[in-house]
Amino acid sequence: MSSIENFLKNAVTPWMGPKGEHSNIVMSTRVRLARNLKGFRFPLDFSREEAEEVDHQVAAALEGMEDFSHIPMESVPAIQRQALVEKHLISPQLADPERPGSVILSGDESVSIMVNEEDHIRIQVIYPGLHLLEAFDRANDIDNRLEEALPYAFDGEFGYITSCPTNTGTGLRASVMLHLPALSITSNMARIAQAVARLGMTVRGSYGEGSDALGNVYQVSNQLTLGKSERDILMDLRDLAERLIEQEERARRALLEHSPMKLEDRVWRSYGILTNARVLATDEAANRLSDVRLGIDMGIIPDVDVSVLNELMIFMQPAFLQRYAGETLQPGERDVFRAKLIRERIGMGRQSGREN
Amino acid sequence: MSSIENFLKNAVTPWMGPKGEHSNIVMSTRVRLARNLKGFRFPLDFSREEAEEVDHQVAAALEGMEDFSHIPMESVPAIQRQALVEKHLISPQLADPERPGSVILSGDESVSIMVNEEDHIRIQVIYPGLHLLEAFDRANDIDNRLEEALPYAFDGEFGYITSCPTNTGTGLRASVMLHLPALSITSNMARIAQAVARLGMTVRGSYGEGSDALGNVYQVSNQLTLGKSERDILMDLRDLAERLIEQEERARRALLEHSPMKLEDRVWRSYGILTNARVLATDEAANRLSDVRLGIDMGIIPDVDVSVLNELMIFMQPAFLQRYAGETLQPGERDVFRAKLIRERIGMGRQSGREN
């Protein structure tokens, strides 16, 4: 097995796959529930003893429920912690070595429960495609199991109590990761972000607040957690996602109609650069991967699998690159390994595409 | 046979081949002798009868000498005339449909004798690689044959009389076409052009006076035709060409030493774009072909033949593109066919390179 095949065997997660509704535009769906236990201070200012007791109680409550692994952060080397962040399985805060925390992961990595992050418990479910209700149902099952065993901090008027008041109420944050290259190319995203904000929702880059929309991947999520039922939050977000998908599809048809050759040229040039460049910075790689993904979706590039692009958006980041290289890399060296990884991975994708 | 194979079968000329000394840097050598007949006015202001008589006498003098074809310009469709210009076999002036002229071509296109261009006779020999003396010898043989049969305009003091005084004397213009990408990348060409001018020679773009150095191809030629023997003119030019080759080689070694990854990245990106782009303007195509040629010369790109690049620099021009397309093309359409031609030709080159 080549080094890249070996690397991928250990790194690919099922939710990166091409399954799921609208999977040409929706990269993934995420649902997160924030919960806290009565009788403990919030993680920001609790003691190490409290942290250990919370961690112990949560792990015990879930014992035997699924093939969960309980992973204390301090047992994880820094580079692996970073890789978990790049895969969206934990937050950068949980990866902070100064703070006690752990993650409980399902075997397929679709469920990750962060313990002692900003709240005592954050149940997160990631699915490929647009599957908000299904993801919520799975998170809800885990929530019910925990609630049976543990005393949640809950207020009859406000709902679930959270460390940050913006999460209080349902404690629900739902988000959909959308690839919107045509709306970006046609400079529509600023207008859309304003319209979305008026609906009480937000559009931002794929790594959350303050992050750029690397490679035209946007995360759309609910802003409000209070005053609306979980179901309403999810339905409103699904409606919004569907409207954005429709607008993206319309923008794609317009590009194809008005300047098909310009579009083909853009897509194929990006393909040519990804499969040949020897140095690729993150931003350029993300934008060119976005072009190629658009080309695949629109039938311009025939024999590359979309899941290759989903994977590469994640694996081209520093921690995964270093796992792939098998050594610590300086920023300049990362650009060289990023180019190598992308070149080899797309090459593999083409071969297997051709065999089908 | 594919359309491109068929096109190339009819368009490739032996002097585009990779043979010849220093053929990695020297694309071709050209020698031209200007001659006029006594008793006729210069082509700029002679009569149609005089033109026909000159043409007839020149053609008759060369009859049976080689496998020459005598081609009156008025018998050649405009697009074919343009193709002869793009191949450097005739000048743009000779292609002017308002003026009477013809060309006498050898079967391998290494000899082209323009009749009734600016002078009555211009004998031109093109060879691949650096072969100034050999090219001159061939031109000289033809010149001797003509001189035996025809009364040349010759002055004991000044030498051969020409329409433009800058050609009077030997009537010799010799030039070498050099690919100097490393000297261009390292911004040395302005300095070199000044130094060359001080030696009584000139450096300019590949299509002669006033033309840009498309794709880093420069034409170095003698400025003086008077006061020096033919042999001295040729030896001085050869010395200069060899010095430029040495400087280019030194600049290449420096690029490889100081920033090998940057160089590899540049070369491979250009390769990726040439083999994938759907729209390519002349300038961009020339610059990227220059990068790829540099990559081949330096062993970075292993399996493409340099002659492919020599050919494409010529065939990517408007008249050849239209012959390839089989129809008249608007400028925007040319960029599309240029991209197609380059993509297909490099693809062919790789295949045959791999079979070896």
Side-chain angles (χ1 to χ4, degrees):
Chain A
M1 202 186 298
S2 72
S3 76
I4 184 161
E5 281 166 342
N6 199 39
F7 165 73
L8 292 169
K9 197 170 72 78
N10 297 311
V12 173
T13 296
W15 56 259
M16 295 175 192
K19 288 152 288 173
E21 231 182 316
H22 296 297
S23 64
N24 61 328
I25 292 176
V26 182
M27 302 186 74
S28 60
T29 291
R30 196 154 31 137
V31 159
R32 182 266 284 156
L33 295 173
R35 299 290 185 257
N36 287 279
L37 301 188
K38 230 184 272 183
F40 295 95
R41 283 171 289 174
F42 288 127
L44 267 173
D45 49 19
F46 65 2
S47 67
R48 181 153 276 275
E49 289 69 39
E50 282 176 293
E52 280 168 8
E53 186 53 32
V54 169
D55 191 46
H56 174 76
Q57 289 194 13
V58 173
L62 291 172
E63 196 140 314
M65 187 181 179
E66 279 190 42
D67 64 333
F68 286 140
S69 312
H70 177 234
I71 306 161
M73 276 299 114
E74 55 198 3
S75 73
V76 182
I79 188 145
Q80 308 269 27
R81 286 202 301 269
Q82 183 58 28
L84 291 171
V85 173
E86 292 173 1
K87 260 184 164 175
H88 303 279
L89 295 177
I90 66 171
S91 66
Q93 294 89 304
L94 197 75
D96 180 348
E98 300 294 302
R99 296 179 51 196
S102 59
V103 64
I104 296 168
L105 272 182
S106 69
D108 66 358
E109 297 182 1
S110 63
V111 175
S112 75
I113 303 163
M114 291 192 281
V115 183
N116 295 329
E117 202 247 18
E118 190 181 290
D119 294 298
H120 295 143
I121 302 167
R122 288 195 159 192
I123 305 164
Q124 180 186 258
V125 176
I126 309 184
Y127 277 176
L130 185 59
H131 292 293
L132 283 161
L133 294 172
E134 294 86 336
F136 176 74
D137 285 346
R138 181 121 180 249
N140 200 34
D141 282 351
I142 297 162
D143 184 41
N144 288 339
R145 166 78 167 247
L146 286 168
E147 198 156 19
E148 281 166 25
L150 303 173
Y152 272 171
F154 184 84
D155 178 280
E157 189 180 349
F158 292 116
Y160 294 100
I161 305 300
T162 54
S163 167
C164 175
T166 58
N167 292 315
T168 295
T170 57
L172 169 65
R173 180 86 67 206
S175 64
V176 179
M177 212 79 110
L178 298 166
H179 181 231
L180 304 174
L183 288 172
S184 306
I185 291 171
T186 55
S187 310
N188 274 298
M189 285 311 300
R191 179 184 60 73
I192 286 170
Q194 286 183 344
V196 167
R198 263 178 264 124
L199 297 171
M201 294 189 260
T202 54
V203 179
R204 51 194 181 184
S206 53
Y207 282 83
E209 236 154 323
S211 70
D212 284 340
L214 208 61
N216 303 318
V217 176
Y218 295 85
Q219 178 182 314
V220 190
S221 61
N222 65 309
Q223 187 79 293
L224 300 175
T225 53
L226 194 68
K228 247 186 181 181
S229 73
E230 283 92 346
R231 207 181 150 76
D232 284 348
I233 290 171
L234 296 167
M235 300 289 276
D236 287 352
L237 183 62
R238 194 179 66 183
D239 285 353
L240 172 62
E242 281 172 349
R243 253 185 299 159
L244 289 174
I245 291 165
E246 215 180 281
Q247 290 188 40
E248 170 67 18
E249 280 169 346
R250 204 177 311 132
R252 290 182 182 192
R253 282 195 299 272
L255 283 178
L256 201 57
E257 209 169 290
H258 296 131
S259 42
M261 197 45 87
K262 210 171 144 186
L263 180 65
E264 274 192 44
D265 187 51
R266 176 190 178 114
V267 161
W268 279 112
R269 278 173 183 254
S270 286
Y271 178 82
I273 285 174
L274 289 179
T275 51
N276 285 284
R278 261 50 183 176
V279 183
L280 274 171
T282 308
D283 278 14
E284 185 187 2
N287 287 328
R288 303 218 177 265
L289 285 168
S290 169
D291 285 343
V292 170
R293 198 190 156 110
L294 177 64
I296 296 169
D297 287 349
M298 298 187 77
I300 296 169
I301 296 182
D303 54 2
V304 180
D305 197 293
V306 163
S307 59
V308 172
L309 283 293
N310 289 5
E311 284 171 33
L312 285 174
M313 282 295 286
I314 296 197
F315 297 149
M316 71 172 193
Q317 295 171 90
F320 275 103
L321 282 183
Q322 297 185 61
R323 268 173 62 175
Y324 171 55
E327 56 183 322
T328 308
L329 299 172
Q330 299 307 310
E333 296 172 323
R334 283 183 208 158
D335 292 349
V336 173
F337 269 91
R338 182 176 297 109
K340 184 171 182 305
L341 171 71
I342 291 174
R343 218 159 60 231
E344 293 184 349
R345 184 66 189 98
I346 295 183
M348 272 177 61
R350 272 193 89 101
Q351 278 170 353
S352 66
R354 277 182 176 154
E355 279 160 17
N356 291 342
Chain B
M1 205 184 296
S2 71
S3 76
I4 184 160
E5 282 166 342
N6 199 40
F7 165 73
L8 292 169
K9 196 169 72 78
N10 297 311
V12 171
T13 296
W15 57 257
M16 294 174 191
K19 289 154 287 176
E21 230 183 317
H22 296 299
S23 64
N24 60 327
I25 291 176
V26 182
M27 301 187 74
S28 61
T29 291
R30 195 154 33 138
V31 158
R32 183 265 284 156
L33 294 172
R35 299 291 185 256
N36 287 279
L37 301 188
K38 232 185 270 182
F40 296 94
R41 283 171 290 175
F42 288 126
L44 267 174
D45 49 18
F46 64 3
S47 66
R48 180 154 278 274
E49 289 68 39
E50 283 175 291
E52 280 168 10
E53 186 53 31
V54 168
D55 193 46
H56 174 75
Q57 290 193 14
V58 173
L62 290 173
E63 196 141 314
M65 185 180 179
E66 278 191 42
D67 63 334
F68 285 141
S69 314
H70 177 233
I71 306 161
M73 275 300 112
E74 54 198 5
S75 73
V76 182
I79 188 145
Q80 307 269 25
R81 286 202 302 269
Q82 183 58 28
L84 290 170
V85 173
E86 292 173 1
K87 259 184 164 175
H88 303 277
L89 295 176
I90 66 170
S91 66
Q93 293 90 303
L94 197 76
D96 179 349
E98 300 295 302
R99 297 178 51 196
S102 59
V103 65
I104 296 168
L105 271 183
S106 69
D108 66 358
E109 298 183 359
S110 63
V111 175
S112 75
I113 303 163
M114 290 192 283
V115 183
N116 295 329
E117 202 247 20
E118 189 182 289
D119 295 298
H120 296 141
I121 302 167
R122 290 198 158 188
I123 305 163
Q124 180 186 259
V125 176
I126 309 185
Y127 276 177
L130 185 59
H131 292 292
L132 282 161
L133 295 172
E134 294 86 335
F136 175 74
D137 286 346
R138 182 123 180 245
N140 200 35
D141 282 352
I142 296 163
D143 184 42
N144 288 340
R145 167 78 167 248
L146 287 168
E147 198 155 19
E148 281 166 25
L150 303 172
Y152 273 172
F154 184 83
D155 177 280
E157 189 180 347
F158 291 116
Y160 294 101
I161 306 298
T162 53
S163 166
C164 175
T166 59
N167 292 315
T168 295
T170 57
L172 169 65
R173 180 86 68 206
S175 64
V176 179
M177 212 82 108
L178 299 166
H179 181 231
L180 305 175
L183 288 172
S184 306
I185 291 171
T186 54
S187 308
N188 275 297
M189 286 311 299
R191 180 183 60 73
I192 286 170
Q194 286 183 344
V196 167
R198 263 178 263 124
L199 297 171
M201 294 189 259
T202 54
V203 179
R204 51 194 181 185
S206 53
Y207 281 82
E209 235 154 325
S211 70
D212 283 340
L214 208 61
N216 303 317
V217 176
Y218 294 86
Q219 178 181 315
V220 190
S221 61
N222 65 310
Q223 187 79 293
L224 300 174
T225 54
L226 194 67
K228 246 186 183 182
S229 73
E230 284 90 346
R231 207 181 149 74
D232 284 348
I233 290 172
L234 296 167
M235 299 290 276
D236 287 353
L237 183 61
R238 195 180 65 184
D239 285 353
L240 172 62
E242 281 173 350
R243 252 184 300 160
L244 290 174
I245 291 165
E246 216 180 279
Q247 290 187 38
E248 170 67 19
E249 280 170 346
R250 203 175 313 133
R252 290 181 181 192
R253 283 193 299 272
L255 282 178
L256 202 57
E257 210 170 289
H258 296 132
S259 41
M261 197 45 86
K262 209 171 146 187
L263 180 65
E264 275 193 43
D265 186 52
R266 178 190 177 114
V267 161
W268 279 112
R269 278 172 183 255
S270 286
Y271 178 83
I273 285 173
L274 289 179
T275 50
N276 286 284
R278 262 50 183 175
V279 182
L280 274 170
T282 308
D283 279 14
E284 184 187 4
N287 287 328
R288 301 217 177 266
L289 285 168
S290 169
D291 285 343
V292 170
R293 198 190 156 108
L294 177 65
I296 296 169
D297 287 350
M298 299 187 76
I300 295 169
I301 296 182
D303 54 1
V304 181
D305 197 293
V306 164
S307 60
V308 172
L309 283 294
N310 289 6
E311 284 172 33
L312 286 175
M313 281 297 285
I314 297 198
F315 298 149
M316 70 172 194
Q317 294 172 92
F320 275 103
L321 282 183
Q322 297 184 66
R323 268 172 62 174
Y324 171 55
E327 56 183 322
T328 307
L329 299 173
Q330 300 307 309
E333 296 171 323
R334 282 183 208 157
D335 292 348
V336 173
F337 268 91
R338 182 176 296 111
K340 184 171 181 312
L341 172 70
I342 291 175
R343 217 160 60 230
E344 293 184 350
R345 183 65 189 97
I346 296 183
M348 272 176 62
R350 272 193 88 102
Q351 279 170 351
S352 66
R354 277 182 176 156
E355 278 160 17
N356 291 341

